[in-house]
Amino acid sequence: MALACAVLFLQWRNVERGGITELKYASRLVATSLEVVMRKYESLLQLTGQRLLEVGGLRGDQRAQAVLDRLLARNPELAGFGLADPEGNLVLTSSNIDRSRLPNLRRTPETGASFSQALAAERMVVGRTYFMPALGEWVIPMRYPLRNDAGEVVAVMTTGLTLGSSHGLWSQHTLPPHIRFTVVRDDFYRQYGSHVAPDDRHLFYGRPLSPERVAFYEREAEARTGMTADQLRRLGRGVALYAPDYRNRWNLAYLVYEPRYHYYIATGIPVVKLAGRMAVPAAWTLFLLLALNAVLYFIFRAHGRLEQEAARRLEHLASHDQLTGLPNRRYLQEAFPAWRSACPQGFSILFIDLDNFKSINDLHGHSVGDVILGEVATRLGRCFGEDLVARQGGDEFIVLAGRRFDAALDRQCRDFLVCLRAPILCGEFSFSIRASIGVAQSPANGADLEELLRKADMAMYEAKRLRAGVHVYTDQLERRNERIGHIERALEPALERGEFQVVYQPQVEADSGRIIGVEALLRWDNSGLGPVPPDEFVPVAEAMGMMRDLGRFVAGKAVAEVAALAATGPGPLRLAINVSVSQILDPGFIGDLAAFQAEGGDLRLTVEITESLFIEDVEHARTVLEGLRAQGIGVSLDDFGTGYSSLSLLSKLPIDEIKIDKGFVRDILSDEQDHQLVRSIIGLGRSLGIPVLAEGVENAEQARRLAVAGCHRFQGYFFARPMTVATLAEFIRQWQERRPATMAIRSGS
Ligand code: C2E
Ligand code: CA
Ligand code: CA
């Protein structure tokens, strides 16, 4: 806009400059023609006057009138001729004038001044332009004093130039039509105006310029040139200015004073005309500016687009995971509020974590890991295409599904897990990926993203722990986790504080009814939590890495207590100790146990292991078991039937005893299938030559059935509850005296 104004202003100045040049030129032309006109009529009046005097014009001679009429015919622009005596009385006129209607020139206001002036002048005098009623015309009167040889004025020759005439040098035709000019007398009456409409002549010629108008011109002239009007007049310098004409129409005008005839010559161009000249350049300017604007606009827009594009790319980089191209955690946080409001009916958050991904990364390197993560992302997209899938980080992914967790979504999750297991080829390796999915739901589990993620994460861990694939968050899970938290905090100092104790549960031989050994079971009594069962705290201790110390405590204590007990009478006893997987995998484990075994004299040590040991690494497990056997330590396979190791493993591994899980024993009376299973396990043991122990035997009928099936050993509340070593000593003494259970089993067989 400012630029447009500036350009238009410059163009205006240009037009203005051109106008001024034109006006100066026109002004000179007017001055020249003025001079010519003056000279022409001066000599005309002078010569004619002298001729009239010669032919007796002052007496009103006929010949004199003929001279005037001839002259008038040759100069049609003139209104007529007259010869006045010095008193102002017209003594002779051309015949077109009715002399009787003419006033006395000296006494009439319009003519008096110039007439008197003529009497005193040496040369032609031009009077004010006025309306001559005798002729019905506006005329410019011109007078020439005629003198005798003594130099006295004897008559005044006078004529009038008509304004309406198209002839003569006063007319416009030498100037271009848009230029107008005005000749102003120094008494500020206008002598002639080229642009005055006939109706306006009274207004124009009938009175002088107002003093305000004159003052305005003088002020403007001074402002533009720095010179006073007087100085300008004396130097004959012109001045260009804007001025209103007699109808207050503004003009660009050029004023100059002509000292020879005491005239101001004003040439002018109406501002409207100048503005018209601006139209084309202004249109061009506007057009060019618009074009420039348009070009700039497109350039800026293109530039803006590029910047926007770059910003979008940066934004995408910041909000998306580079490896998988999935939205990242940041994106999730930002998009969540809008996403949530779009699902007023509720929604589900799936927290997906790959199983054992860390070991893939460790074993095969990160590039393989990256390929797998990329493929997982692809399969996630395929299975949850309508949902928001994001990468939480590492091997964790989030799916925001806009619906409640129902059978259909559960199905979808499990389908994904199946799809995930399809081999991923990476170089020479093929990977089958498993994952665990935790689910939290809104609004049931909360509305806040962090809270929902935390709960979904918790459910995911539960899914992993249970190997369930998918697990849905419940408040119970949260409470359990809280309890685990309490247990963790309480476990830390528990060993040092002596909160642990070992109890023993006797194991009975079916054939003889003798107590052949005991299983050591850990007890924890915490002041805050009360007695906490090992099922609950052992996994926590395991996760905390405490099991090694705890296991050593159990072994050490049990060996010491049972060895001492055995020495007091009952003879050699077998001591079974439960060991967790982490204990077995600990390289110092066998050495520790061997040392304890040595301390225990002729105490025979057995470790109870579970099938989960074989999940990790069968070959390593075999090495450990063989190491134990080499140290004379027995191995009992605990909780048999609950795991998933194949029965064929039994024949290949050095196992000394099979312990049927108490879950089967409990149900042999009610569930024929379990009964069948128990019988086949016993049969298997027999065929492999491995003794079978049934745990959890709670009543005589169970014992009887197991005995019938050929079970070798029993353990359970029916025989004895786990007890302290002091109670155990007394129990064994009484048992050997009565052997009541033996009798029962025997009678059942
Ligand atoms: P487990 O090795 O299967 O131990 C047998 C569990 O069955 C014991 O529970 C025992 O008290 C219980 N039991 C014995 N007879 C009966 C019966 O007739 N009916 C029923 N219902 N239960 C019976 P406990 O002592 O609570 O131990 C639970 C689990 O904790 C054990 O299962 C074992 O896996 C683990 N555990 C116990 N002590 C230790 C330990 O010192 N080290 C390790 N690593 N784990 C231990
Ligand atoms: Ca056990
Ligand atoms: Ca067991």
Side-chain angles (χ1 to χ4, degrees), residues 708-720:
V708 168
C711 185
H712 306 85
R713 298 162 185 172
F714 302 105
Q715 181 183 344
Y717 297 165
F718 176 60
F719 300 96

Side-chain angles (χ1 to χ4, degrees), residues 204-430:
F204 191 74
Y205 297 110
R207 55 182 187 209
L209 291 177
S210 69
E212 298 84 54
R213 186 68 44 113
V214 173
F216 169 79
Y217 287 134
E218 287 183 348
R219 221 169 36 238
E220 281 292 295
E222 198 171 332
R224 272 150 210 274
T225 58
M227 285 187 253
T228 63
D230 250 3
Q231 285 172 316
L232 287 170
R233 260 194 306 264
R234 243 181 297 124
L235 293 170
R237 284 252 332 247
V239 57
L241 45 79
Y242 286 97
D245 66 7
Y246 71 100
R247 281 240 177 245
N248 283 326
R249 292 169 299 211
W250 282 81
N251 288 269
L252 174 63
Y254 186 77
L255 303 184
V256 66
Y257 186 69
E258 185 54 66
R260 237 176 96 91
Y261 300 104
H262 306 284
Y263 279 147
Y264 295 93
I265 298 171
T267 45
I269 303 173
V271 169
V272 186
K273 289 265 163 60
L274 280 186
R277 291 183 190 178
M278 279 290 291
V280 171
W284 270 106
T285 303
L286 283 178
F287 171 74
L288 288 177
L289 277 174
L290 283 177
L292 183 70
N293 267 348
V295 168
L296 286 179
Y297 170 75
F298 283 113
I299 288 175
F300 279 124
R301 205 170 69 162
H303 182 71
R305 281 225 185 106
L306 285 179
E307 278 196 338
Q308 254 176 14
E309 182 58 29
R312 249 205 310 274
R313 225 175 300 135
L314 275 181
E315 172 61 27
H316 189 270
L317 274 184
S319 62
H320 285 72
D321 168 47
Q322 259 161 297
L323 175 63
T324 59
L326 290 178
N328 62 16
R329 200 189 157 88
R330 210 195 92 183
Y331 178 94
L332 204 62
Q333 276 163 344
E334 281 167 11
F336 183 73
W339 192 90
R340 176 176 54 196
S341 26
C343 303
Q345 304 300 323
F347 58 92
S348 310
I349 288 191
L350 315 182
F351 197 112
I352 301 170
D353 186 284
L354 307 186
D355 295 342
N356 297 321
F357 182 73
K358 190 181 172 302
S359 57
I360 294 180
N361 243 349
D362 291 349
L363 279 174
H364 299 277
H366 285 265
S367 52
V368 170
D370 286 355
V371 171
I372 290 173
L373 287 175
E375 182 58 27
V376 170
T378 306
R379 295 184 187 183
L380 264 172
R382 212 180 296 148
C383 297
F384 294 100
E386 284 164 19
D387 305 312
L388 176 58
V389 179
R391 184 172 173 208
Q392 163 89 348
D395 61 341
E396 297 170 340
F397 297 86
I398 305 292
V399 175
L400 288 187
R403 53 207 177 278
R404 292 188 187 186
F405 190 82
D406 53 8
L409 188 50
D410 184 54
R411 181 78 263 143
Q412 203 177 347
C413 287
R414 290 181 197 283
D415 286 349
F416 165 68
L417 293 178
V418 170
C419 158
L420 199 57
R421 278 205 291 276
I424 296 173
L425 293 174
C426 191
E428 54 196 301
F429 296 102
S430 163

Side-chain angles (χ1 to χ4, degrees), residues 439-451:
V439 183
Q441 301 176 83
S442 187
N445 305 149
D448 174 60
L449 180 66
E450 288 310 311
E451 184 186 2

Side-chain angles (χ1 to χ4, degrees), residues 78-80 96-98 101-102 131-137 139 160 162:
L78 294 176
N96 67 320
I97 297 172
D98 176 2
R101 287 188 62 196
L102 284 177
F131 183 72
M132 213 174 138
L135 283 173
E137 286 244 45
V139 296
T162 57

Side-chain angles (χ1 to χ4, degrees), residues 597-611:
Q597 163 120 311
E599 277 169 30
D602 52 4
L603 188 80
R604 278 171 297 116
L605 211 51
T606 294
V607 293
E608 296 193 0
I609 58 167
T610 57
E611 291 159 310

